[in-house]
Amino acid sequence: FTADLNYQESDEVLVSRSVGIKLQTAPFPKEPALPGQNVFRGSLLWGPRAEQAMPFIWDKGRGRLLLDLNRNRDLTDDPKGLFASASREDNQSFTNVHLVLSTATGDRSVRLQVGFNSYRGGSVSVYAGLCSYWQARLSLHGQEWQFGLVENMPDGKAPGSLQYLLLRPWAERQRAFHLNSSSPDFCYFTKSVFFGNHAYELDCRYEPGGTPPKYKITFKEQAPRLGELKVTGADLHRLILTAKPAMTVVLDQPAGTVKLPVGSYALEEIWLRKGETDVVRLNAGRVAVDEQRPAGLVA
């Protein structure tokens, strides 16, 4: 089964990384009037190549950021390159920043949250948080899913790599998620997954040539040997288990005895849900599942 995943945006920071920065003291040839103090100029180094650098002005005193989106060193001709922060402190965050960043497999359109921090001595650090991902509505074996992929924050050096897999029933797609503080809807990406009582091998590839670009994902159904796990607990919402080298098992509302591929698993996350309250136990030990007798788990 093959599906196209489409670009999607979130107000939540999904992954983040620091961004290289090169400061300069001289004004740009063209820049707006900047009254007051606490103005920093320079370039954000999104990748190792010179053409990936993006000139900026951080007007810390007024909580403003100007980005040279077209990279022509003219800070007056980018109407969409002006961003505001409510803070006037040393740490300022700028949201809803739309950029096109380069990777080895093609350009990525991304939505970012960009944070600037200043320190004594005039040094500045910058981080970028990714607020976009790829998702589709899938129908597999009679079940409807919201399925998505979250990439690592592009650094302009390596091909875009996958960091997280978004997986939840389609009926829950409007429920807010908070990946930066842990979420039952996400797990680390692996090419082998077991969910909805079926095992799949995933083949994911980014296709930049379309309008708009898409991620194409193919699910190849597998037939692994299965064992039984007897689960005991109340208000169980989701179990996330992993086995080496690259297998993730997602069990939703497990009750009684459930089947899953044979293997030695780390209990990465045990999620309980009651009403709007989620509780998680992380790194809860290990469990071995074989074909001979059911394994037991008191969650």
Side-chain angles (χ1 to χ4, degrees):
F1 176 81
T2 299
D4 289 336
L5 275 58
N6 297 304
Y7 177 84
Q8 189 80 14
E9 295 186 343
S10 168
D11 292 330
E12 172 88 9
V13 171
L14 304 177
V15 293
S16 62
R17 70 168 176 90
S18 61
V19 179
I21 184 173
K22 182 178 180 181
L23 294 176
Q24 66 183 58
T25 55
F28 289 100
K30 289 186 178 182
E31 63 177 45
L34 297 167
Q37 304 298 315
N38 286 332
V39 174
F40 298 88
R41 297 173 177 85
S43 295
L44 299 178
L45 308 178
W46 295 110
R49 301 194 304 273
E51 64 270 19
Q52 294 173 317
M54 179 175 290
F56 75 89
I57 296 175
W58 177 28
D59 188 350
K60 176 183 168 185
R62 293 193 293 171
R64 299 200 311 167
L65 173 66
L66 287 81
L67 294 179
D68 183 16
L69 298 180
N70 59 16
R71 294 174 169 88
N72 66 352
R73 301 188 67 78
D74 181 348
L75 275 294
T76 65
D77 68 349
D78 293 283
K80 294 183 179 180
L82 176 62
F83 306 92
S85 172
S87 172
R88 300 296 182 269
E89 305 300 324
D90 292 340
N91 302 324
Q92 295 182 7
S93 182
F94 302 90
T95 60
N96 205 30
V97 179
H98 288 87
L99 298 180
V100 176
L101 299 180
S102 297
T103 76
T105 54
D107 289 347
R108 299 290 201 276
S109 294
V110 295
R111 183 190 189 192
L112 303 178
Q113 177 176 305
V114 181
F116 279 73
N117 305 296
S118 65
Y119 306 93
R120 291 181 181 178
S123 64
V124 174
S125 66
V126 180
Y127 81 90
L130 184 66
C131 300
S132 52
Y133 59 101
W134 303 84
Q135 69 114 38
R137 179 179 183 173
L138 300 183
S139 180
L140 293 169
H141 296 284
Q143 292 179 277
E144 300 286 315
W145 300 92
Q146 182 188 21
F147 186 94
L149 300 173
V150 180
E151 292 188 290
N152 276 315
M153 182 69 208
D155 62 5
K157 292 183 259 187
S161 59
L162 296 169
Q163 177 81 346
Y164 294 103
L165 185 154
L166 166 63
L167 179 66
R168 59 183 174 180
W170 182 252
E172 294 186 10
R173 67 192 181 281
Q174 300 298 337
R175 190 181 181 101
F177 55 70
H178 303 283
L179 178 55
N180 60 7
S181 60
S182 193
S183 167
D185 302 321
F186 292 85
C187 57
Y188 284 107
F189 176 82
T190 57
K191 287 190 174 183
S192 296
V193 294
F194 180 88
F195 66 95
N197 300 315
H198 293 269
Y200 305 95
E201 191 78 15
L202 305 182
D203 177 33
C204 308
R205 52 198 182 277
Y206 179 66
E207 297 191 345
T211 306
K214 296 180 184 295
Y215 248 102
K216 192 172 287 290
I217 183 165
T218 298
F219 295 78
K220 185 177 181 181
E221 191 152 354
Q222 306 294 299
R225 293 181 297 126
L226 299 179
E228 294 183 339
L229 179 67
K230 185 178 180 180
V231 184
T232 305
D235 301 313
L236 278 167
H237 173 63
R238 173 169 277 187
L239 303 181
I240 300 175
L241 306 89
T242 60
K244 293 182 178 180
M247 175 75 175
T248 299
V249 169
V250 177
L251 302 175
D252 286 331
Q253 290 85 49
T257 300
V258 295
K259 290 189 175 183
L260 67 162
V262 167
S264 176
Y265 291 97
L267 290 163
E268 300 288 352
E269 302 174 34
I270 298 175
W271 286 90
L272 310 183
R273 174 172 291 176
K274 193 166 187 176
E276 294 301 309
T277 302
D278 286 342
V279 179
V280 64
R281 168 76 185 273
L282 302 175
N283 302 318
R286 301 192 64 84
V287 62
V289 177
D290 61 39
E291 293 176 289
Q292 304 305 317
R293 60 183 180 211
L297 173 63
V298 179

